Amino acid sequence: MASFRLITLSLVLIEVVVHRYTLSADALSMDYYAMACPFAEIIVRNAVNRALRNDPTFSAGLLRMHFHDCFIQGCDGSVLIDSTKDNVAEKDSPANLSLRGYEIIDQAKQQIEAQCPGVVSCADILAMAARDAVLWAGGPIYDIPKGRKDGRRSRIEDTINLPPPFFNSSNLIRMFGQRGFTAQEMVVLSGAHTLGAARCGSFKNRLSKFDATHDVDPSLDPGFARMLTRTCSAGDTAEAPFDWTRNSFDTAYFNALQMGGGVLISDQTLFTSPQTRGLVVAYAMNEARFFFDFSQAMVKMGFLDVKEGDAGEVRRDCRRVN
Ligand code: HEM
């Protein structure tokens, strides 16, 4: 009886794995450009490495841009489109104004177009660039499926679906859940905040000096709150790094959360909430697990509402629909 159960369980597991694989194989594949544009990956990697050698803070910019692309209209390069006189695009939404790295995508695209015009989508270039940025910063190495098409819609109003910095753990679990992610995947993806910084406009409501309606957010370490307050005295665009190694992909972010050093409410809540605290502790202690789960969650994020065939196009210029 026990062995029968074991066999049934194994068959179910095999089916889950095969089903996941077929789903992905139908839509995208690892070697999508192997024949039509064999140097695409290398061109992107070189463009990213060149830019990051000059300014390592762009690793954060590229990673965040891919996330903001995927969460709005799927991973279809919609975040890269410029506004026109008839349309205010996603990138001009307040939630996207601090996105950085558009020029790196443009450079890679121009070089790829020179070799194989009309083949490689901007959405794929952005996905590859984010992956390469993570590796450059010392994070995990992982392959991503390719074959996304570029979308034709980019509207400011759609960015309402990006998570705001004041969300608590339950809000975040719900919002990510709506896109098919588990709480664990939400926490590990938030680990992207191991790179980069936030501007005061995103967190000053936690500090009593800038919001007289309440005391300092009690989940903040008092010393850290004083430091954030000093940073914000320089104005709304002054930046506070998410952790003490802003250009290194490591576990410092999760360690900071354990010390009351989360910059955003949406960061600190991951540790204060019993629903997610265990995951923060686990990732803080175990870099290998963080890297493995992060890679898997990024690949999954890269599948969000991917456009195939006529549902999209391969843009000639990432900033304009064809
Ligand atoms: C969990 C919900 C999330 C919220 C509420 C959130 C919110 C924010 C906010 C408010 C900033 C700072 C923006 C500024 O002040 O200029 C930021 C920065 C950043 N976010 Fe998130 N984020 C979330 C998840 C993610 C995910 C899933 C990723 C990537 C997979 C990501 C990657 C980044 C990066 C790398 C930065 C730093 C950007 C830079 O320094 O240029 N975030 N995020």
Side-chain angles (χ1 to χ4, degrees), residues 57 59-61 63-64 67-68 98 100 163-167 172 176 186 189-190 192-193 195-202 239 242 246 264 266 294 298 301:
T57 64
S59 57
L63 178 54
R64 182 171 183 231
F67 164 53
H68 282 209
S98 58
R100 297 158 345 101
F166 52 81
F167 260 19
L172 291 170
F176 277 70
M186 182 276 289
L189 285 172
S190 298
H193 288 181
L195 295 178
R199 294 162 310 151
C200 282
S202 303
E239 287 182 347
F242 284 117
R246 77 175 272 181
L264 306 176
S266 61
F294 182 81
M298 285 296 286
M301 191 177 85

mmCIF file of all heavy atoms in Angstrom, residues 57 59-61 63-64 67-68 98 100 163-167 172 176 186 189-190 192-193 195-202 239 242 246 264 266 294 298 301, ligand 1:
data_model
loop_
_atom_site.group_PDB
_atom_site.id
_atom_site.type_symbol
_atom_site.label_atom_id
_atom_site.label_comp_id
_atom_site.label_asym_id
_atom_site.label_seq_id
_atom_site.Cartn_x
_atom_site.Cartn_y
_atom_site.Cartn_z
ATOM 1 N N THR A 57 26.284 51.014 -10.078
ATOM 2 C CA THR A 57 24.915 51.167 -9.546
ATOM 3 C C THR A 57 23.853 50.810 -10.590
ATOM 4 O O THR A 57 22.686 50.645 -10.256
ATOM 5 C CB THR A 57 24.655 52.604 -9.043
ATOM 6 O OG1 THR A 57 24.731 53.511 -10.144
ATOM 7 C CG2 THR A 57 25.644 53.017 -7.972
ATOM 8 N N SER A 59 23.563 48.035 -11.990
ATOM 9 C CA SER A 59 23.085 46.656 -11.826
ATOM 10 C C SER A 59 21.697 46.685 -11.178
ATOM 11 O O SER A 59 20.781 45.963 -11.601
ATOM 12 C CB SER A 59 24.061 45.816 -10.997
ATOM 13 O OG SER A 59 24.281 46.410 -9.756
ATOM 14 N N ALA A 60 21.524 47.542 -10.186
ATOM 15 C CA ALA A 60 20.215 47.670 -9.533
ATOM 16 C C ALA A 60 19.177 48.199 -10.514
ATOM 17 O O ALA A 60 18.053 47.704 -10.574
ATOM 18 C CB ALA A 60 20.334 48.602 -8.332
ATOM 19 N N GLY A 61 19.586 49.190 -11.299
ATOM 20 C CA GLY A 61 18.655 49.809 -12.242
ATOM 21 C C GLY A 61 18.084 48.795 -13.226
ATOM 22 O O GLY A 61 16.874 48.768 -13.483
ATOM 23 N N LEU A 63 17.949 45.475 -12.972
ATOM 24 C CA LEU A 63 17.148 44.440 -12.308
ATOM 25 C C LEU A 63 15.739 44.976 -12.014
ATOM 26 O O LEU A 63 14.727 44.326 -12.283
ATOM 27 C CB LEU A 63 17.857 44.011 -11.010
ATOM 28 C CG LEU A 63 17.151 42.967 -10.151
ATOM 29 C CD1 LEU A 63 16.799 41.713 -10.949
ATOM 30 C CD2 LEU A 63 18.024 42.602 -8.943
ATOM 31 N N ARG A 64 15.689 46.194 -11.501
ATOM 32 C CA ARG A 64 14.383 46.772 -11.167
ATOM 33 C C ARG A 64 13.553 47.016 -12.434
ATOM 34 O O ARG A 64 12.336 46.808 -12.438
ATOM 35 C CB ARG A 64 14.608 48.088 -10.417
ATOM 36 C CG ARG A 64 13.323 48.742 -9.976
ATOM 37 C CD ARG A 64 13.599 49.924 -9.063
ATOM 38 N NE ARG A 64 12.377 50.513 -8.585
ATOM 39 C CZ ARG A 64 12.109 51.821 -8.667
ATOM 40 N NH1 ARG A 64 13.015 52.657 -9.156
ATOM 41 N NH2 ARG A 64 10.958 52.286 -8.227
ATOM 42 N N PHE A 67 11.766 43.888 -13.511
ATOM 43 C CA PHE A 67 10.620 43.633 -12.625
ATOM 44 C C PHE A 67 9.441 44.542 -13.003
ATOM 45 O O PHE A 67 8.306 44.082 -13.168
ATOM 46 C CB PHE A 67 11.065 43.850 -11.171
ATOM 47 C CG PHE A 67 9.949 43.990 -10.167
ATOM 48 C CD1 PHE A 67 8.951 43.037 -10.069
ATOM 49 C CD2 PHE A 67 9.917 45.080 -9.295
ATOM 50 C CE1 PHE A 67 7.926 43.170 -9.131
ATOM 51 C CE2 PHE A 67 8.903 45.216 -8.361
ATOM 52 C CZ PHE A 67 7.896 44.265 -8.277
ATOM 53 N N HIS A 68 9.710 45.823 -13.178
ATOM 54 C CA HIS A 68 8.621 46.757 -13.501
ATOM 55 C C HIS A 68 8.055 46.466 -14.894
ATOM 56 O O HIS A 68 6.891 46.736 -15.154
ATOM 57 C CB HIS A 68 9.113 48.208 -13.397
ATOM 58 C CG HIS A 68 9.202 48.673 -11.984
ATOM 59 N ND1 HIS A 68 9.033 49.999 -11.603
ATOM 60 C CD2 HIS A 68 9.429 48.006 -10.834
ATOM 61 C CE1 HIS A 68 9.171 50.103 -10.287
ATOM 62 N NE2 HIS A 68 9.424 48.905 -9.795
ATOM 63 N N SER A 98 12.346 56.870 -11.254
ATOM 64 C CA SER A 98 13.746 56.647 -10.867
ATOM 65 C C SER A 98 14.338 55.389 -11.521
ATOM 66 O O SER A 98 15.420 54.946 -11.141
ATOM 67 C CB SER A 98 13.874 56.600 -9.338
ATOM 68 O OG SER A 98 13.054 55.589 -8.807
ATOM 69 N N ARG A 100 16.460 53.316 -14.076
ATOM 70 C CA ARG A 100 17.688 53.734 -14.749
ATOM 71 C C ARG A 100 18.238 52.602 -15.599
ATOM 72 O O ARG A 100 18.062 51.434 -15.264
ATOM 73 C CB ARG A 100 18.760 54.112 -13.711
ATOM 74 C CG ARG A 100 18.384 55.282 -12.861
ATOM 75 C CD ARG A 100 19.091 55.421 -11.518
ATOM 76 N NE ARG A 100 19.788 54.267 -11.038
ATOM 77 C CZ ARG A 100 21.091 54.094 -11.116
ATOM 78 N NH1 ARG A 100 21.868 55.013 -11.649
ATOM 79 N NH2 ARG A 100 21.652 53.009 -10.649
ATOM 80 N N PRO A 163 3.710 47.266 -6.811
ATOM 81 C CA PRO A 163 3.537 47.329 -5.347
ATOM 82 C C PRO A 163 4.115 48.627 -4.776
ATOM 83 O O PRO A 163 5.246 48.987 -5.110
ATOM 84 C CB PRO A 163 4.334 46.113 -4.851
ATOM 85 C CG PRO A 163 5.319 45.819 -5.930
ATOM 86 C CD PRO A 163 4.697 46.261 -7.228
ATOM 87 N N PRO A 164 3.348 49.349 -3.962
ATOM 88 C CA PRO A 164 3.868 50.574 -3.359
ATOM 89 C C PRO A 164 4.730 50.275 -2.123
ATOM 90 O O PRO A 164 4.571 49.216 -1.498
ATOM 91 C CB PRO A 164 2.607 51.343 -2.967
ATOM 92 C CG PRO A 164 1.552 50.304 -2.806
ATOM 93 C CD PRO A 164 1.938 49.105 -3.629
ATOM 94 N N PRO A 165 5.605 51.201 -1.744
ATOM 95 C CA PRO A 165 6.560 50.933 -0.658
ATOM 96 C C PRO A 165 5.931 50.855 0.732
ATOM 97 O O PRO A 165 6.578 50.409 1.662
ATOM 98 C CB PRO A 165 7.523 52.129 -0.731
ATOM 99 C CG PRO A 165 6.816 53.176 -1.510
ATOM 100 C CD PRO A 165 5.868 52.477 -2.417
ATOM 101 N N PHE A 166 4.658 51.253 0.848
ATOM 102 C CA PHE A 166 4.026 51.225 2.182
ATOM 103 C C PHE A 166 3.214 49.943 2.392
ATOM 104 O O PHE A 166 2.551 49.790 3.404
ATOM 105 C CB PHE A 166 3.130 52.459 2.377
ATOM 106 C CG PHE A 166 2.138 52.667 1.257
ATOM 107 C CD1 PHE A 166 0.949 51.958 1.225
ATOM 108 C CD2 PHE A 166 2.405 53.564 0.228
ATOM 109 C CE1 PHE A 166 0.042 52.134 0.182
ATOM 110 C CE2 PHE A 166 1.503 53.744 -0.819
ATOM 111 C CZ PHE A 166 0.313 53.034 -0.838
ATOM 112 N N PHE A 167 3.260 48.991 1.471
ATOM 113 C CA PHE A 167 2.504 47.743 1.626
ATOM 114 C C PHE A 167 3.072 46.905 2.770
ATOM 115 O O PHE A 167 4.284 46.838 2.951
ATOM 116 C CB PHE A 167 2.591 46.925 0.335
ATOM 117 C CG PHE A 167 1.366 47.037 -0.547
ATOM 118 C CD1 PHE A 167 0.473 48.083 -0.397
ATOM 119 C CD2 PHE A 167 1.116 46.087 -1.523
ATOM 120 C CE1 PHE A 167 -0.656 48.189 -1.219
ATOM 121 C CE2 PHE A 167 -0.003 46.175 -2.346
ATOM 122 C CZ PHE A 167 -0.891 47.223 -2.195
ATOM 123 N N LEU A 172 1.420 42.466 0.296
ATOM 124 C CA LEU A 172 2.401 41.989 -0.690
ATOM 125 C C LEU A 172 2.093 40.554 -1.106
ATOM 126 O O LEU A 172 2.145 40.209 -2.283
ATOM 127 C CB LEU A 172 3.820 42.074 -0.124
ATOM 128 C CG LEU A 172 4.377 43.482 0.091
ATOM 129 C CD1 LEU A 172 5.674 43.431 0.881
ATOM 130 C CD2 LEU A 172 4.586 44.212 -1.231
ATOM 131 N N PHE A 176 1.316 39.734 -4.984
ATOM 132 C CA PHE A 176 2.160 38.779 -5.723
ATOM 133 C C PHE A 176 1.371 37.499 -6.019
ATOM 134 O O PHE A 176 1.562 36.864 -7.053
ATOM 135 C CB PHE A 176 3.455 38.474 -4.954
ATOM 136 C CG PHE A 176 4.532 39.512 -5.180
ATOM 137 C CD1 PHE A 176 4.416 40.795 -4.670
ATOM 138 C CD2 PHE A 176 5.665 39.213 -5.936
ATOM 139 C CE1 PHE A 176 5.399 41.767 -4.899
ATOM 140 C CE2 PHE A 176 6.656 40.163 -6.171
ATOM 141 C CZ PHE A 176 6.520 41.439 -5.645
ATOM 142 N N MET A 186 7.692 35.771 -3.239
ATOM 143 C CA MET A 186 7.643 37.225 -3.029
ATOM 144 C C MET A 186 8.826 37.664 -2.167
ATOM 145 O O MET A 186 9.503 38.670 -2.458
ATOM 146 C CB MET A 186 6.304 37.588 -2.363
ATOM 147 C CG MET A 186 6.085 39.062 -2.120
ATOM 148 S SD MET A 186 6.824 39.646 -0.593
ATOM 149 C CE MET A 186 5.744 38.869 0.620
ATOM 150 N N LEU A 189 12.139 37.344 -4.107
ATOM 151 C CA LEU A 189 12.259 38.394 -5.130
ATOM 152 C C LEU A 189 12.545 39.748 -4.487
ATOM 153 O O LEU A 189 13.289 40.572 -5.033
ATOM 154 C CB LEU A 189 10.988 38.474 -5.979
ATOM 155 C CG LEU A 189 10.796 37.355 -7.008
ATOM 156 C CD1 LEU A 189 9.416 37.433 -7.655
ATOM 157 C CD2 LEU A 189 11.882 37.395 -8.084
ATOM 158 N N SER A 190 11.975 39.976 -3.303
ATOM 159 C CA SER A 190 12.289 41.225 -2.582
ATOM 160 C C SER A 190 13.771 41.285 -2.257
ATOM 161 O O SER A 190 14.323 42.371 -2.055
ATOM 162 C CB SER A 190 11.502 41.312 -1.268
ATOM 163 O OG SER A 190 10.124 41.331 -1.526
ATOM 164 N N ALA A 192 15.955 41.187 -4.159
ATOM 165 C CA ALA A 192 16.584 42.048 -5.185
ATOM 166 C C ALA A 192 17.040 43.354 -4.551
ATOM 167 O O ALA A 192 17.948 44.020 -5.062
ATOM 168 C CB ALA A 192 15.605 42.325 -6.318
ATOM 169 N N HIS A 193 16.412 43.722 -3.430
ATOM 170 C CA HIS A 193 16.827 44.956 -2.734
ATOM 171 C C HIS A 193 18.187 44.798 -2.064
ATOM 172 O O HIS A 193 18.613 45.692 -1.338
ATOM 173 C CB HIS A 193 15.746 45.385 -1.733
ATOM 174 C CG HIS A 193 14.513 45.939 -2.410
ATOM 175 N ND1 HIS A 193 13.422 46.396 -1.719
ATOM 176 C CD2 HIS A 193 14.210 46.105 -3.737
ATOM 177 C CE1 HIS A 193 12.500 46.820 -2.587
ATOM 178 N NE2 HIS A 193 12.948 46.645 -3.794
ATOM 179 N N LEU A 195 20.490 44.963 -3.908
ATOM 180 C CA LEU A 195 21.160 45.935 -4.782
ATOM 181 C C LEU A 195 20.415 47.261 -4.721
ATOM 182 O O LEU A 195 19.181 47.278 -4.660
ATOM 183 C CB LEU A 195 21.147 45.454 -6.230
ATOM 184 C CG LEU A 195 21.937 44.195 -6.564
ATOM 185 C CD1 LEU A 195 21.770 43.847 -8.051
ATOM 186 C CD2 LEU A 195 23.420 44.373 -6.249
ATOM 187 N N GLY A 196 21.166 48.361 -4.739
ATOM 188 C CA GLY A 196 20.548 49.650 -4.984
ATOM 189 C C GLY A 196 20.109 50.419 -3.754
ATOM 190 O O GLY A 196 20.480 50.104 -2.616
ATOM 191 N N ALA A 197 19.300 51.419 -4.025
ATOM 192 C CA ALA A 197 18.936 52.380 -2.982
ATOM 193 C C ALA A 197 17.522 52.890 -3.218
ATOM 194 O O ALA A 197 16.968 52.742 -4.302
ATOM 195 C CB ALA A 197 19.914 53.551 -3.054
ATOM 196 N N ALA A 198 16.963 53.495 -2.163
ATOM 197 C CA ALA A 198 15.660 54.154 -2.297
ATOM 198 C C ALA A 198 15.830 55.632 -2.001
ATOM 199 O O ALA A 198 16.721 56.027 -1.238
ATOM 200 C CB ALA A 198 14.658 53.524 -1.328
ATOM 201 N N ARG A 199 14.980 56.443 -2.622
ATOM 202 C CA ARG A 199 15.028 57.884 -2.352
ATOM 203 C C ARG A 199 14.099 58.220 -1.195
ATOM 204 O O ARG A 199 13.124 57.503 -0.937
ATOM 205 C CB ARG A 199 14.622 58.654 -3.606
ATOM 206 C CG ARG A 199 15.617 58.499 -4.764
ATOM 207 C CD ARG A 199 14.999 58.887 -6.070
ATOM 208 N NE ARG A 199 13.709 58.204 -6.227
ATOM 209 C CZ ARG A 199 12.683 58.682 -6.922
ATOM 210 N NH1 ARG A 199 12.772 59.822 -7.533
ATOM 211 N NH2 ARG A 199 11.566 57.999 -7.000
ATOM 212 N N CYS A 200 14.403 59.324 -0.539
ATOM 213 C CA CYS A 200 13.657 59.665 0.676
ATOM 214 C C CYS A 200 12.154 59.726 0.460
ATOM 215 O O CYS A 200 11.376 59.369 1.346
ATOM 216 C CB CYS A 200 14.151 60.993 1.221
ATOM 217 S SG CYS A 200 15.682 60.731 2.083
ATOM 218 N N GLY A 201 11.767 60.175 -0.751
ATOM 219 C CA GLY A 201 10.340 60.244 -1.057
ATOM 220 C C GLY A 201 9.645 58.904 -0.825
ATOM 221 O O GLY A 201 8.446 58.857 -0.558
ATOM 222 N N SER A 202 10.399 57.810 -0.900
ATOM 223 C CA SER A 202 9.802 56.477 -0.774
ATOM 224 C C SER A 202 9.678 55.999 0.676
ATOM 225 O O SER A 202 9.006 55.006 0.939
ATOM 226 C CB SER A 202 10.633 55.441 -1.547
ATOM 227 O OG SER A 202 10.758 55.783 -2.895
ATOM 228 N N GLU A 239 19.424 59.583 -1.405
ATOM 229 C CA GLU A 239 19.277 58.123 -1.449
ATOM 230 C C GLU A 239 19.804 57.436 -0.202
ATOM 231 O O GLU A 239 20.849 57.812 0.316
ATOM 232 C CB GLU A 239 20.075 57.567 -2.631
ATOM 233 C CG GLU A 239 19.464 57.847 -3.981
ATOM 234 C CD GLU A 239 20.285 57.211 -5.090
ATOM 235 O OE1 GLU A 239 21.437 56.785 -4.830
ATOM 236 O OE2 GLU A 239 19.769 57.128 -6.209
ATOM 237 N N PHE A 242 19.810 50.118 0.354
ATOM 238 C CA PHE A 242 18.995 49.116 1.049
ATOM 239 C C PHE A 242 19.812 48.331 2.071
ATOM 240 O O PHE A 242 19.268 47.817 3.040
ATOM 241 C CB PHE A 242 18.385 48.138 0.047
ATOM 242 C CG PHE A 242 17.217 48.713 -0.714
ATOM 243 C CD1 PHE A 242 17.276 48.877 -2.091
ATOM 244 C CD2 PHE A 242 16.055 49.090 -0.060
ATOM 245 C CE1 PHE A 242 16.196 49.391 -2.801
ATOM 246 C CE2 PHE A 242 14.969 49.608 -0.751
ATOM 247 C CZ PHE A 242 15.043 49.761 -2.133
ATOM 248 N N ARG A 246 25.689 48.039 -1.347
ATOM 249 C CA ARG A 246 24.627 48.346 -2.318
ATOM 250 C C ARG A 246 24.901 47.806 -3.717
ATOM 251 O O ARG A 246 23.981 47.632 -4.491
ATOM 252 C CB ARG A 246 24.316 49.847 -2.365
ATOM 253 C CG ARG A 246 25.295 50.709 -3.111
ATOM 254 C CD ARG A 246 24.799 52.164 -3.173
ATOM 255 N NE ARG A 246 23.930 52.394 -4.340
ATOM 256 C CZ ARG A 246 23.389 53.562 -4.629
ATOM 257 N NH1 ARG A 246 23.579 54.607 -3.837
ATOM 258 N NH2 ARG A 246 22.654 53.705 -5.705
ATOM 259 N N LEU A 264 12.407 50.444 3.410
ATOM 260 C CA LEU A 264 10.989 50.666 3.099
ATOM 261 C C LEU A 264 10.114 49.904 4.102
ATOM 262 O O LEU A 264 10.557 48.891 4.668
ATOM 263 C CB LEU A 264 10.661 50.148 1.691
ATOM 264 C CG LEU A 264 11.517 50.661 0.533
ATOM 265 C CD1 LEU A 264 11.110 49.962 -0.771
ATOM 266 C CD2 LEU A 264 11.392 52.169 0.388
ATOM 267 N N SER A 266 7.769 48.103 3.157
ATOM 268 C CA SER A 266 7.602 46.800 2.498
ATOM 269 C C SER A 266 8.809 45.884 2.680
ATOM 270 O O SER A 266 8.707 44.675 2.467
ATOM 271 C CB SER A 266 7.329 46.992 1.003
ATOM 272 O OG SER A 266 8.425 47.656 0.402
ATOM 273 N N PHE A 294 16.185 32.499 -5.685
ATOM 274 C CA PHE A 294 16.076 33.748 -6.435
ATOM 275 C C PHE A 294 16.108 33.455 -7.947
ATOM 276 O O PHE A 294 15.276 33.970 -8.700
ATOM 277 C CB PHE A 294 17.197 34.720 -6.050
ATOM 278 C CG PHE A 294 17.109 36.058 -6.756
ATOM 279 C CD1 PHE A 294 16.238 37.047 -6.293
ATOM 280 C CD2 PHE A 294 17.881 36.327 -7.876
ATOM 281 C CE1 PHE A 294 16.129 38.267 -6.953
ATOM 282 C CE2 PHE A 294 17.792 37.553 -8.539
ATOM 283 C CZ PHE A 294 16.911 38.524 -8.069
ATOM 284 N N MET A 298 13.144 34.302 -10.526
ATOM 285 C CA MET A 298 13.366 35.238 -11.637
ATOM 286 C C MET A 298 12.956 34.604 -12.974
ATOM 287 O O MET A 298 12.374 35.265 -13.823
ATOM 288 C CB MET A 298 14.836 35.668 -11.709
ATOM 289 C CG MET A 298 15.248 36.655 -10.636
ATOM 290 S SD MET A 298 14.396 38.245 -10.760
ATOM 291 C CE MET A 298 15.218 38.952 -12.181
ATOM 292 N N MET A 301 9.305 34.764 -13.011
ATOM 293 C CA MET A 301 8.842 36.137 -13.276
ATOM 294 C C MET A 301 8.973 36.459 -14.765
ATOM 295 O O MET A 301 8.137 37.149 -15.348
ATOM 296 C CB MET A 301 9.647 37.136 -12.437
ATOM 297 C CG MET A 301 9.074 38.537 -12.450
ATOM 298 S SD MET A 301 10.010 39.655 -11.385
ATOM 299 C CE MET A 301 11.311 40.174 -12.492
HETATM 300 C C1 HEM B 1 7.977 43.505 -2.899
HETATM 301 C C2 HEM B 1 7.519 44.608 -3.403
HETATM 302 C C3 HEM B 1 8.411 45.744 -3.839
HETATM 303 C C4 HEM B 1 8.268 47.046 -3.518
HETATM 304 C C5 HEM B 1 7.156 47.647 -2.669
HETATM 305 C C6 HEM B 1 9.360 47.762 -4.110
HETATM 306 C C7 HEM B 1 9.538 49.122 -4.040
HETATM 307 C C8 HEM B 1 10.704 49.769 -4.393
HETATM 308 C C9 HEM B 1 10.958 51.159 -4.169
HETATM 309 C C10 HEM B 1 9.999 52.161 -3.569
HETATM 310 C C11 HEM B 1 12.239 51.406 -4.571
HETATM 311 C C12 HEM B 1 12.990 52.724 -4.487
HETATM 312 C C13 HEM B 1 12.562 53.656 -5.575
HETATM 313 C C14 HEM B 1 13.107 55.038 -5.319
HETATM 314 O O1 HEM B 1 12.944 55.540 -4.222
HETATM 315 O O2 HEM B 1 13.675 55.615 -6.260
HETATM 316 C C15 HEM B 1 12.765 50.171 -5.085
HETATM 317 C C16 HEM B 1 14.036 50.015 -5.586
HETATM 318 C C17 HEM B 1 14.488 48.851 -6.146
HETATM 319 N N1 HEM B 1 13.746 47.719 -6.384
HETATM 320 FE FE1 HEM B 1 11.972 47.285 -5.569
HETATM 321 N N2 HEM B 1 10.158 46.878 -4.781
HETATM 322 C C18 HEM B 1 9.608 45.632 -4.651
HETATM 323 C C19 HEM B 1 10.072 44.465 -5.233
HETATM 324 C C20 HEM B 1 11.142 44.406 -6.081
HETATM 325 C C21 HEM B 1 11.477 43.289 -6.922
HETATM 326 C C22 HEM B 1 10.635 42.003 -7.020
HETATM 327 C C23 HEM B 1 12.618 43.611 -7.589
HETATM 328 C C24 HEM B 1 13.393 42.813 -8.608
HETATM 329 C C25 HEM B 1 13.243 41.526 -8.808
HETATM 330 C C26 HEM B 1 13.018 44.932 -7.131
HETATM 331 C C27 HEM B 1 14.180 45.567 -7.471
HETATM 332 C C28 HEM B 1 14.553 46.816 -6.992
HETATM 333 C C29 HEM B 1 15.894 47.349 -7.117
HETATM 334 C C30 HEM B 1 17.102 46.616 -7.670
HETATM 335 C C31 HEM B 1 15.839 48.643 -6.596
HETATM 336 C C32 HEM B 1 16.999 49.646 -6.533
HETATM 337 C C33 HEM B 1 16.987 50.500 -7.789
HETATM 338 C C34 HEM B 1 18.150 51.464 -7.911
HETATM 339 O O3 HEM B 1 18.959 51.604 -6.990
HETATM 340 O O4 HEM B 1 18.233 52.100 -8.980
HETATM 341 N N3 HEM B 1 12.079 45.392 -6.257
HETATM 342 N N4 HEM B 1 11.815 49.195 -4.972
#
